[in-house]
Amino acid sequence: MSASNPALGVRSGALSAQQVALALALLLGLQPITTDLYLPALPLLARDLAAPMASVQLTMSALLLSFGMAQLVMGPLSDRFGRRPVLLGGLFLYSVASLGCALAPSIHTLIGLRALQGAGLAAAVVCARAMVRDLYEPHQGAQVMSKGLSGLGLIAFLSPALGGVLAAGQGWRAALTAVTLAGIATGLWVWWRLPETLATKRPDALRPGPWLAAMRTVSRHTGFRAWTALSSFTYGGLFVLLAGSSFVYIGTLGLAPWAYGAVMATGSLSYIAGTFACRRLLLRHGLLGTVWRGAFATAAGGLGMLALALGGQTAVLPIVVAHWIYLFGHGIHQPCSQTAAVGAFPQMAGVASALSGFVLAATAFVTGLRLGQAMDGSVLVLASGLCFFALLTSLTAWTVVQRFGQLPSAARA
């Protein structure tokens, strides 16, 4: 199905599936830019600002807490005023906050600015997911989303490598300056090329009564709960790798920052391979069959890394292979779960996207707090966290998603 919303006009009628996928890649790609690009710089940041590990972890946790809470506002805002104005405002906030992060004089200032950055990022992510539901039915939306997430994977591939080079050559502030430039470039592209996709705005979207009613409707939907759980659990495992791996790969296994960036980049290639596999599986097995199969890769990655850690493995390559296998499964789960969570709510796509994103971000926030307390640089802590979420993801894909995840016929292609 192509973008066929009659309210979009001639300009939007020319918005092809490839252009929508590009928009998704740029908007959703701000997530790995915001997180992955500065990962190699975390040890340098901690040393330069004389910050303990727990405070450094808060730069990630504060981002995610704000990111999650702001989605609850950005979703209704986009239903009321449209995707485009909320996108532009959010990207402006993101760019200004990112510049502030690059100039931050203390860890406490950096934590506060990362929270503002998360609010701006929320607008980009909520509107991107809602835009897919504006234009496509869920099955076609999952195909387009997987293409967009392939682009996200490419950005995630480049981000840690670039971050490692910048951190090694110019310091951690250079990495955050690159984040600023990415926000500005994305905002300019949206202003220049991306039209409004929402056909009918909801004038009552911001009124407390209708807003709470919409939240209740979405949150009580068993399919929404199942798909949101899958999306949140698989991202929880990814977040364990994002927030904890630099301290293990660099601090314990002895990799240089640029080599760690290369490890994270190769993981992104595995994720991209997963998104390609997702598209092929969708054609043959549909949403439910695709995630059922992807769960085997997820479980294998988590259990494999835990087995290596329990066996005292300190060689980098076997651990990285388990890392890759998990990310391959993640590349299958995310396009399906993010699209299907919103799929049953064509008239409340902003609210559904916001609530699903809030749960995902809350999961990552709690994980970050726990990881900051437990992380001692050992492979076992990293592997235990990854395996925990791998098993939750797989069991969810094999059970509640299969039982409750079938979309109503009106929402299917």
Side-chain angles (χ1 to χ4, degrees):
M1 175 184 281
S2 62
S4 58
N5 192 326
L8 297 180
V10 175
R11 184 181 174 205
S12 297
L15 197 63
S16 66
Q18 289 71 28
Q19 289 172 310
V20 175
L22 175 60
L24 290 172
L26 292 174
L27 295 170
L28 298 177
L30 287 177
Q31 286 183 275
I33 288 173
T34 310
T35 55
D36 299 18
L37 198 147
Y38 96 132
L39 287 179
L42 285 180
L44 298 175
L45 185 155
R47 184 184 64 193
D48 188 37
L49 297 181
M53 186 180 297
S55 295
V56 174
Q57 290 287 353
L58 274 178
T59 65
M60 186 76 80
S61 298
L63 171 88
L64 287 168
L65 179 63
S66 175
F67 174 63
M69 295 181 68
Q71 289 186 64
L72 298 178
V73 178
M74 297 299 179
L77 276 174
S78 73
D79 284 342
R80 171 63 182 88
F81 297 107
R83 317 304 182 203
R84 182 177 161 86
V86 175
L87 267 176
L88 291 172
L91 290 170
F92 177 78
L93 175 62
Y94 175 89
S95 300
V96 171
S98 298
L99 179 60
C101 288
L103 301 174
S106 69
I107 190 66
H108 301 294
T109 303
L110 180 60
I111 290 169
L113 288 167
R114 287 282 282 179
L116 285 178
Q117 196 181 37
L121 179 63
V125 173
V126 164
C127 292
R129 289 195 298 248
M131 181 177 68
V132 175
R133 189 62 187 94
D134 293 340
L135 299 173
Y136 301 98
E137 294 296 336
H139 183 78
Q140 286 77 17
Q143 290 279 351
V144 176
M145 179 66 82
S146 72
K147 292 179 181 178
L149 291 180
S150 295
L152 177 150
L154 179 60
I155 293 171
F157 166 75
L158 297 172
S159 291
L162 176 60
V165 171
L166 290 173
Q170 303 295 326
W172 64 271
R173 295 184 189 276
L176 287 171
T177 299
V179 174
T180 305
L181 295 175
I184 294 171
T186 303
L188 290 174
W189 186 88
V190 168
W191 175 77
W192 177 50
R193 294 294 300 169
L194 192 64
E196 180 59 63
T197 61
L198 182 61
T200 305
K201 300 178 177 64
R202 292 179 54 224
D204 63 349
L206 295 175
R207 289 171 50 198
W211 181 79
L212 289 173
M215 287 289 182
R216 284 195 298 269
T217 298
V218 172
S219 63
R220 290 174 178 174
H221 192 279
T222 54
F224 170 83
R225 292 178 180 178
W227 287 111
T228 295
L230 181 66
S231 178
S232 299
F233 290 150
T234 185
Y235 187 81
L238 173 66
F239 187 75
V240 168
L241 294 174
L242 293 178
S245 61
S246 64
F247 296 99
V248 173
Y249 284 120
I250 296 174
T252 301
L253 301 181
L255 293 183
W258 69 265
Y260 168 70
V263 166
M264 297 302 286
T266 56
S268 297
L269 290 179
S270 182
Y271 171 80
I272 292 171
T275 64
F276 277 90
C278 176
R279 292 200 287 277
R280 295 181 65 88
L281 289 169
L282 280 169
L283 292 174
R284 298 181 61 184
H285 305 290
L287 286 165
L288 299 183
T290 296
V291 298
W292 189 85
R293 289 162 175 80
F296 288 98
T298 301
L303 289 169
M305 187 178 288
L306 182 62
L308 291 169
L310 291 173
Q313 180 63 253
T314 58
V316 173
L317 183 58
I319 296 169
V320 170
V321 169
H323 182 140
W324 288 340
I325 294 171
Y326 182 87
L327 290 180
F328 180 85
H330 183 66
I332 294 174
H333 291 308
Q334 277 296 79
C336 297
S337 59
Q338 288 196 12
T339 305
V342 183
F345 307 99
Q347 305 305 318
M348 295 183 288
V351 170
S353 175
L355 192 55
S356 178
F358 171 78
V359 174
L360 183 150
T363 301
F365 174 72
V366 173
T367 301
L369 290 180
R370 178 61 185 141
L371 196 62
Q373 296 169 348
M375 178 52 70
D376 56 4
S378 70
V379 177
L380 182 59
V381 171
L382 183 74
S384 297
L386 183 68
C387 187
F388 173 75
F389 280 109
L391 292 178
L392 284 178
T393 301
S394 300
L395 291 173
T396 300
W398 289 331
T399 58
V400 294
V401 167
Q402 300 302 315
R403 182 175 180 181
F404 302 115
Q406 184 67 58
L407 293 170
S409 58
R412 296 200 302 269

